[in-house]
Amino acid sequence: MFRIHRSAASSLSAPSARAALHRRLPALGAASRANGASSSFSRRSFRTIPGEGADKRAIFQQKGLYRENMEKDSCGVGMIASLKKQPSRSTVVQANEMLVRMSHRGGCGCDPASGDGAGMLVALPHEFIQRVARDGEFGEAAKLATLTKEKYAVGNVFFNKSAPDAIPQAKKTFDDMAEAMGMKILGWRAMPTTANTLGATSLASEPHVEQVMVLNEDPQLSGDNFEKELLRLRNMVTAVNEKKFSDFYVNSLSNRTITYKGQLTPEQLFEYYDDLSAKDF
């Protein structure tokens, strides 16, 4: 194959090749000028060429919400969803694969085992939550409760690991404010985590993580309005507890979604949170 290619190239002598090239160049230049195209291949001129080959961003600017001046470098973000609206383990596994493949968008310091943050937001895994509730991980009240979708919520909460005596007080503030808003706290669950892959920097700031289950006892409160009340609860509890206790943070609190995140590398997320590796999650 290479011999055929070389013989074909050598069939045209160098002088005749240069002559052919010079004969074609003026024609190309004339065609470019006739079409109004610039000889420069700058990004600006390329975007303004109409017709086939035009940069799609110019079309988006004319017909959509895209604005080039709003482009900014940021963390990598991706989304995977089922068009059938059916929760499945495969969707979560694919989301983790996507997260790991975005490792280049994150960062780490001198300690490569301490990332600058990674996480995943998923639809509330109803079957998984029901199972751990039946197993008594949230306590007796949650074990006996009837959990109907969107009528209960689960939140992930970070507490200061170095101040264990303050954790019960922070939880009581949360419970009291939720009950004052007409909600019922079904219980708290210590989140199972595995920290043996974390670097020294991540371990130094690792929180104590717990899950809280909140029940909507108001039959007139719809799923949307319950979600709004949960946001109010989250903001009010945070405002109070941040003044009393250091490093209190409500990671997520919703009747529809849940977030798992931390100062982790993408590869460490599933290794750290044991929940994410459960087959029914």
Side-chain angles (χ1 to χ4, degrees):
M1 178 178 179
F2 290 150
R3 284 195 298 272
I4 294 173
H5 181 72
R6 283 199 298 270
S7 63
S10 62
S11 66
L12 186 63
S13 64
S16 60
R18 283 195 294 270
L21 179 61
H22 284 302
R23 284 197 301 271
R24 291 179 181 180
L25 280 176
L28 289 172
S32 297
R33 287 193 296 272
N35 289 332
S38 168
S39 60
S40 170
F41 282 89
S42 68
R43 291 180 61 194
R44 183 176 181 84
S45 62
F46 183 70
R47 283 200 302 271
T48 57
I49 297 175
E52 186 176 357
D55 195 302
K56 292 182 179 179
R57 284 178 294 187
I59 300 174
F60 294 154
Q61 285 177 333
Q62 296 170 8
K63 298 184 178 181
L65 297 176
Y66 171 81
R67 295 294 180 270
E68 185 181 7
N69 62 344
M70 296 300 293
E71 282 191 359
K72 296 179 176 66
D73 290 338
S74 61
C75 299
V77 178
M79 182 183 75
I80 290 183
S82 169
L83 296 179
K84 298 179 181 179
K85 298 181 68 174
Q86 294 294 327
S88 68
R89 176 65 187 166
S90 63
T91 302
V92 178
V93 172
Q94 290 178 62
N96 181 55
E97 180 182 354
M98 177 177 60
L99 176 65
V100 171
R101 293 192 180 200
M102 289 192 293
S103 296
H104 62 284
R105 297 307 302 265
C108 59
C110 296
D111 176 9
S114 295
D116 65 347
M120 184 180 297
L121 182 149
V122 298
L124 198 62
H126 185 62
E127 293 183 2
F128 170 80
I129 296 298
Q130 282 188 316
R131 177 178 63 79
V132 296
R134 287 195 304 267
D135 291 345
E137 294 189 32
F138 282 98
E140 197 65 24
K143 185 177 182 179
L144 301 175
T146 300
L147 301 179
T148 305
K149 288 184 179 180
E150 297 198 3
K151 284 294 185 180
Y152 74 96
V154 176
N156 286 347
V157 185
F158 291 172
F159 299 92
N160 189 343
K161 196 173 186 177
S162 61
D165 293 341
I167 294 176
Q169 302 174 48
K171 289 166 66 174
K172 186 177 186 307
T173 301
F174 190 107
D175 295 354
D176 291 345
M177 296 187 75
E179 291 175 3
M181 295 176 64
M183 305 176 194
K184 181 179 180 180
I185 300 297
L186 291 177
W188 290 81
R189 167 186 179 242
M191 288 274 285
T193 57
T194 303
N196 56 13
T197 63
L198 301 187
T201 305
S202 294
L203 284 172
S205 61
E206 182 190 14
H208 172 73
V209 189
E210 291 203 24
Q211 274 185 345
V212 60
M213 184 179 290
V214 184
L215 183 66
N216 173 20
E217 291 192 304
D218 186 352
Q220 304 301 320
L221 196 63
S222 66
D224 288 341
N225 289 329
F226 183 36
E227 183 82 337
K228 293 176 183 177
E229 290 299 290
L230 290 167
L231 178 59
R232 286 184 58 227
L233 172 62
R234 175 180 177 175
N235 291 339
M236 290 191 297
V237 170
T238 299
V240 172
N241 275 346
E242 278 186 340
K243 295 179 181 179
K244 293 182 178 180
F245 316 106
S246 61
D247 298 330
F248 173 87
Y249 176 67
V250 181
N251 184 356
S252 66
L253 180 63
S254 171
N255 63 339
R256 293 171 177 166
T257 62
I258 191 166
T259 301
Y260 288 77
K261 66 179 181 180
Q263 189 181 349
L264 309 164
T265 66
E267 294 83 0
Q268 290 173 337
L269 184 67
F270 268 48
E271 297 172 352
Y272 182 73
Y273 287 109
D274 296 353
D275 288 1
L276 296 176
S277 297
K279 293 183 178 180
D280 55 349
F281 187 96

